[in-house]
Amino acid sequence: MAYLERILGEHPFFAGLDDEHGRLLAGCARNRRFAAGEYLFREGEAADEFYLIRHGQVALETLVPGRAPLVIATLGEGEIVGASWLLPPYRWMFDARAVTLTRAIGLDAACLRGKCEVDHHLGYDMMKRFLPVVVKRLHDTRLQVLDVYGDD
Amino acid sequence: MSMATTDPRAAGPAPFVPQAYRVEEVTRELADTVSLRLAPLDGARPDFRPGQFNMLWAFGVGEAAISISDVETDGSFVHTVRAVGAVSGALAGLEVGTRVGLRGPFGTGWRVAEARGADVVVVAGGLGLAPLRPAIQALLADRARYGRVAILVGARSPETLLYPEALAPWQRRPDVEVLVTVDHAGADWAGRVGVVPGLVPRAAFDADDCVALVCGPEVMMRFTVAALRHAGVAAERIHVSMERNMKCAVGWCGHCQFGPAFVCKDGPVMRYDAIADLFSIPEV
């Protein structure tokens, strides 16, 4: 547990996390390892865990009928994978595939949601960490949609 | 920023007279993009600064401003041209042995030497790598004089990455950080997928002591400048290469007016703090 608490605190997503919250989060955490090509999750599955990437690279993919899977984003060391665990219906919207050997910390979603409900300080802290990530990804997606290289 | 002048003598002798060049080599870069190696028919190639451009004249069609993307030791210029209009389409369709007119070089260049002693972050989007390539070559040729060097490259897809033959050796160098990303890719692409401003926080550089050189579509540059500013890079340390429709190339005609400046002579490379107020105004 102390080990998980330490590596949680070392991950950029949890920079500055206070000790009490670290202990609470470590109770929901476990080490995960994904071989290259292995899926962290598939579209439509229950979003019951989210991931802090410690090492490696993960591709978010979607299937387009009649075509090969399309990679819409890649995520690497220091980033997080998954936001669908935060909101009903708690189902993944995309596939997540390890491009290379990927080591991560998995946080049990139900456990985490429960602790955030009980401790609103923890919940607010989590929201303050998640929102910038979500907003940045929204901005990135908007820029991708602009297809800026089409007329450069 | 200095106001535009109307003295063409500042551009050197006979700035409106094109010199004859011969197409020595045509290299297909992308489906709609070629690189032309051009050698002067008479005399030596003029000196140039990385970031400058030449006016290339496709005889019988017209003239267009094309940045210098490389020079060869045999005294030729290399220009990378994407076929998007009548003139660029004609230039991109030239064959070896064809003659073209060339005026230049014109404009400001990347202030590579001024970055000595500092970290350098080069950010290229799409064809923006073309005018940055000579700057990167100058940096790498004099590598010991600079701090950390990061080259961030973005493209629409893996198939549209410019100069993969140049990227590969840069990526192999231990003294250069090269990060490449594409907006979209198939599952067989093992690299990054995402927008190029997203690479800025992943690159290693000292925001307080770095110079950033940025070139690409204007939207991409706006987002990249925002990412650099968010990382702590001062506006005066960010240089961008602007693109406007240029005609005379010496600040006479006003086709390329950008606020109080003319991109052809006050640019194309401009310090961001000098144009920040204009950067997000439509139709400037």
Side-chain angles (χ1 to χ4, degrees):
Chain A
M1 187 76 112
Y3 167 73
L4 283 170
E5 201 177 316
R6 179 175 61 77
I7 57 176
L8 274 175
E10 288 171 355
H11 195 278
F13 182 73
F14 282 126
L17 187 71
D18 73 36
D19 292 345
E20 185 189 345
H21 289 166
R23 276 189 296 278
L24 286 170
L25 291 170
C28 301
R30 61 173 173 159
N31 261 312
R32 300 297 308 270
R33 181 184 185 280
F34 300 93
E38 191 178 348
Y39 282 85
L40 283 70
F41 51 78
R42 305 298 293 256
E43 178 183 337
E45 290 178 350
D48 52 9
E49 192 171 22
F50 93 99
Y51 305 91
L52 312 172
I53 304 176
R54 298 177 60 208
H55 170 80
Q57 181 169 302
V58 173
L60 296 183
E61 298 176 348
T62 191
L63 277 174
V64 182
R67 291 175 55 184
L70 188 69
V71 179
I72 52 176
T74 53
L75 302 165
E77 186 175 324
E79 295 187 291
I80 64 166
V81 183
S84 300
W85 67 275
L86 274 166
L87 305 164
Y90 310 120
R91 295 279 164 188
W92 296 120
M93 293 294 292
F94 301 101
D95 297 340
R97 175 179 53 86
V99 179
T100 60
L101 170 68
T102 299
R103 293 187 178 89
I105 299 295
L107 285 153
D108 183 278
C111 171
L112 194 51
R113 287 195 301 264
K115 289 187 177 180
C116 289
E117 281 297 336
V118 171
D119 182 343
H120 286 185
H121 289 293
L122 174 65
Y124 183 57
D125 184 68
M126 287 295 292
M127 289 305 129
K128 283 198 295 184
R129 294 174 189 276
F130 256 94
L131 194 58
V133 176
V134 171
V135 169
K136 180 189 174 300
R137 291 183 186 175
L138 175 63
H139 289 168
D140 287 354
T141 303
R142 285 173 172 163
L143 193 51
Q144 279 176 306
V145 169
L146 284 173
D147 193 19
V148 295
Y149 302 118
D151 55 359
D152 64 354
Chain B
M1 182 188 306
S2 64
M3 291 294 288
T5 68
T6 55
D7 183 0
R9 289 169 298 187
F16 297 114
V17 180
Q19 303 300 305
Y21 277 65
R22 180 181 185 274
V23 178
E24 298 291 334
E25 187 178 359
V26 179
T27 304
R28 173 67 56 185
E29 304 286 2
L30 307 172
D32 57 358
T33 304
V34 301
S35 287
L36 304 172
R37 186 164 66 81
L38 306 175
L41 285 177
D42 187 24
R45 167 182 64 73
D47 285 339
F48 87 110
R49 296 193 301 278
Q52 288 190 299
F53 66 93
N54 285 321
M55 298 298 294
L56 299 189
W57 190 345
F59 293 121
V61 184
E63 202 180 35
I66 309 289
S67 58
I68 298 163
S69 58
D70 200 359
V71 289
E72 296 289 340
T73 51
D74 66 356
S76 53
F77 280 121
V78 177
H79 289 275
T80 299
V81 185
R82 184 181 185 191
V84 291
V87 179
S88 59
L91 290 169
L94 291 176
E95 296 178 352
V96 172
T98 317
R99 290 185 182 194
V100 294
L102 185 150
R103 295 191 294 125
F106 294 114
T108 58
W110 303 107
R111 296 172 187 174
V112 180
E114 288 180 26
R116 284 174 183 160
D119 292 354
V120 183
V121 186
V122 180
V123 190
L127 290 195
L129 187 56
L132 280 167
R133 182 165 64 169
I136 294 169
Q137 290 167 336
L139 284 168
L140 300 186
D142 203 12
R143 180 66 189 85
R145 286 177 176 267
Y146 299 92
R148 286 172 289 190
V149 173
I151 302 170
L152 317 182
V153 178
R156 174 191 271 173
S157 65
E159 298 75 29
T160 58
L161 272 169
L162 197 61
Y163 310 141
E165 77 289 349
L167 285 173
W170 296 343
Q171 286 174 308
R172 284 195 294 271
R173 288 181 66 129
D175 57 353
V176 180
E177 181 181 26
V178 180
L179 303 178
V180 176
T181 190
V182 297
D183 278 3
H184 308 284
D188 56 344
W189 167 250
R192 290 181 175 81
V193 176
V195 294
V196 70
L199 295 178
V200 171
R202 305 202 71 81
F205 60 89
D206 181 352
D208 292 327
D209 188 21
C210 80
V211 172
L213 316 178
V214 184
C215 187
E218 221 161 292
V219 177
M220 165 259 164
M221 290 201 291
R222 285 211 316 268
F223 280 81
T224 299
V225 166
L228 288 164
R229 298 284 290 125
H230 183 71
V233 181
E236 64 268 24
R237 288 177 166 270
I238 300 171
H239 303 262
V240 298
S241 183
M242 301 303 295
E243 187 173 336
R244 286 293 183 274
N245 185 16
M246 295 189 233
K247 202 73 180 171
C248 72
V250 290
W252 255 22
C253 70
H255 267 72
C256 62
Q257 188 159 2
F258 184 60
F262 291 156
V263 171
C264 68
K265 58 176 272 304
D266 302 312
V269 178
M270 295 172 153
R271 234 172 63 174
Y272 177 68
D273 61 327
I275 59 168
D277 293 343
L278 302 170
F279 213 49
S280 56
I281 299 176
E283 297 179 20
V284 169

